[in-house]
Amino acid sequence: MIGKIGQHGRENYPKLAVKPSFLQDAEALGNPAMRVFLTWAVLLFSTIPMMSQTSPTTPCSTSPGEIIASPTRGIALNAARPATDWESATPVTFCSDWQGKNPDPGRETRVRVLWSRDTLYLRFECRYRELHVFADSDPNGRRDHLWDRDVAEAFLQPDPSHPGAYKEFEISPNGLWIDLDISPGAKPDLKSGLQRSVVLDESAHTWTAELAIPMKALTSAFDPTAVWRANFYRVEGKEEPRGYYAWRSTNTPEPNFHVPSAFGQLRFAISDKK
């Protein structure tokens, strides 16, 4: 959740390299072999600047706007040694900011979803550059204003007919969490009873979190044929400018994740083996 946002929510990114120019005119040379050589040279060097410009700015996105939750009979959470059921869940990946700009592969986030009749499971796989976490929390790990440090977030809207109402879940690299029941003008604790497992790999600069959310905290009558709305986010940093990243861009002037109209779709794959 973005609760307190500074006036400088965007990071400073390096400028793209300037394209080199090929100034030699092959047709001005009389040697046919030289003209052929220069022609191939032009083609070769023209691809180099294109590669140098597209590689750093290629969005690490693998989804057109929907995520599919794969069925499971239930799993034990273990972020370090994930259950094999996760392999059936096609991930969505993102590293661009809330405006869909400035992709940063060093802060890439991958999200997978599983479902059973009783539980919705989320798995976040996160790359990071630096860690900024709270050291204190409630005894159960809940931490108010968790979004003021590094977090991965899921906004879930089981009933799109109420566009202003959705559920918010946040998890930090050290396992702190918060869940909120968002509606116009209100954000009380959801008290969902979520469970979590988190692992940090400082040598690889990654952290991974798995959440198990009771389905009854999300909807009173779960229907796997329904299409939910959802969005996923990352925040990294302690002070502005911070990194604000979104699966589905909210396109607001300043960082703002609370834009339900920008949510993507969450569908539930059906299987007889669930």
Side-chain angles (χ1 to χ4, degrees), residues 71-75 85 115-116 121 272-274:
T72 177
R73 292 179 177 175
I75 61 170
D85 293 40
W115 71 276
S116 70
Y121 300 92
D272 294 335
K273 298 180 180 180
K274 63 181 182 296

Side-chain angles (χ1 to χ4, degrees), residues 18-23 38-54:
V18 177
K19 285 188 177 182
S21 299
F22 197 91
L23 302 178
L38 290 175
T39 300
W40 280 103
V42 170
L43 293 174
L44 173 62
F45 282 103
S46 68
T47 62
I48 292 176
M50 182 169 60
M51 292 172 61
S52 67
Q53 283 206 337
T54 57

Side-chain angles (χ1 to χ4, degrees), residues 1 94 107-111 122-127 132-133 146-147 149-155 168-178 198 207-211 231-236 242-243 245 257:
M1 173 180 179
F94 62 93
R107 288 170 169 170
E108 179 183 275
T109 306
R110 182 169 296 173
V111 185
L122 302 175
R123 179 177 170 89
F124 295 94
E125 299 167 359
C126 308
R127 297 184 182 275
H132 310 84
V133 298
L146 191 62
W147 52 86
R149 297 292 187 272
D150 298 1
V151 289
E153 305 186 7
F155 286 22
E168 176 179 344
F169 301 88
E170 300 186 16
I171 188 74
S172 73
N174 60 341
L176 307 187
W177 62 273
I178 192 171
V198 178
W207 63 276
T208 303
E210 293 181 358
L211 302 181
N231 213 343
F232 306 103
Y233 309 99
R234 277 278 303 286
V235 182
E236 186 172 312
R242 306 174 71 200
Y245 302 92
F257 292 167

Side-chain angles (χ1 to χ4, degrees), residues 13-232:
Y13 293 87
K15 294 182 179 179
L16 297 179
V18 177
K19 285 188 177 182
S21 299
F22 197 91
L23 302 178
Q24 190 76 32
D25 185 359
E27 295 301 326
L29 300 177
N31 189 330
M34 183 60 70
R35 288 200 299 270
V36 172
F37 170 77
L38 290 175
T39 300
W40 280 103
V42 170
L43 293 174
L44 173 62
F45 282 103
S46 68
T47 62
I48 292 176
M50 182 169 60
M51 292 172 61
S52 67
Q53 283 206 337
T54 57
S55 295
T57 58
T58 299
C60 40
S61 175
T62 59
S63 171
E66 73 173 18
I67 185 170
I68 306 298
S70 294
T72 177
R73 292 179 177 175
I75 61 170
L77 299 184
N78 191 327
R81 297 178 177 81
T84 57
D85 293 40
W86 289 113
E87 298 174 6
S88 68
T90 301
V92 297
T93 306
F94 62 93
C95 71
S96 295
D97 65 21
W98 80 101
Q99 294 181 326
K101 303 175 182 178
N102 305 311
D104 184 353
R107 288 170 169 170
E108 179 183 275
T109 306
R110 182 169 296 173
V111 185
R112 301 175 192 264
V113 186
L114 296 172
W115 71 276
S116 70
R117 286 283 178 178
D118 299 325
T119 309
L120 186 78
Y121 300 92
L122 302 175
R123 179 177 170 89
F124 295 94
E125 299 167 359
C126 308
R127 297 184 182 275
Y128 72 90
R129 295 189 178 276
E130 296 179 344
L131 283 178
H132 310 84
V133 298
F134 286 113
D136 63 310
S137 71
D138 296 342
N140 62 357
R142 181 195 174 278
R143 182 40 158 100
D144 198 14
H145 289 264
L146 191 62
W147 52 86
D148 286 336
R149 297 292 187 272
D150 298 1
V151 289
E153 305 186 7
F155 286 22
L156 305 175
Q157 188 178 67
D159 186 0
S161 67
H162 293 83
Y166 46 94
K167 319 297 182 182
E168 176 179 344
F169 301 88
E170 300 186 16
I171 188 74
S172 73
N174 60 341
L176 307 187
W177 62 273
I178 192 171
D179 59 3
L180 300 170
D181 192 3
I182 305 296
S183 60
K187 55 177 183 179
D189 290 346
L190 181 61
K191 300 180 180 179
S192 63
L194 70 83
Q195 298 179 346
R196 82 274 190 206
S197 171
V198 178
V199 63
L200 171 67
D201 187 337
E202 294 184 85
S203 62
H205 273 231
T206 63
W207 63 276
T208 303
E210 293 181 358
L211 302 181
I213 305 168
M215 199 67 79
K216 64 183 180 181
L218 298 170
T219 177
S220 59
F222 173 59
D223 177 6
T225 66
V227 179
W228 292 15
R229 302 273 291 169
N231 213 343
F232 306 103

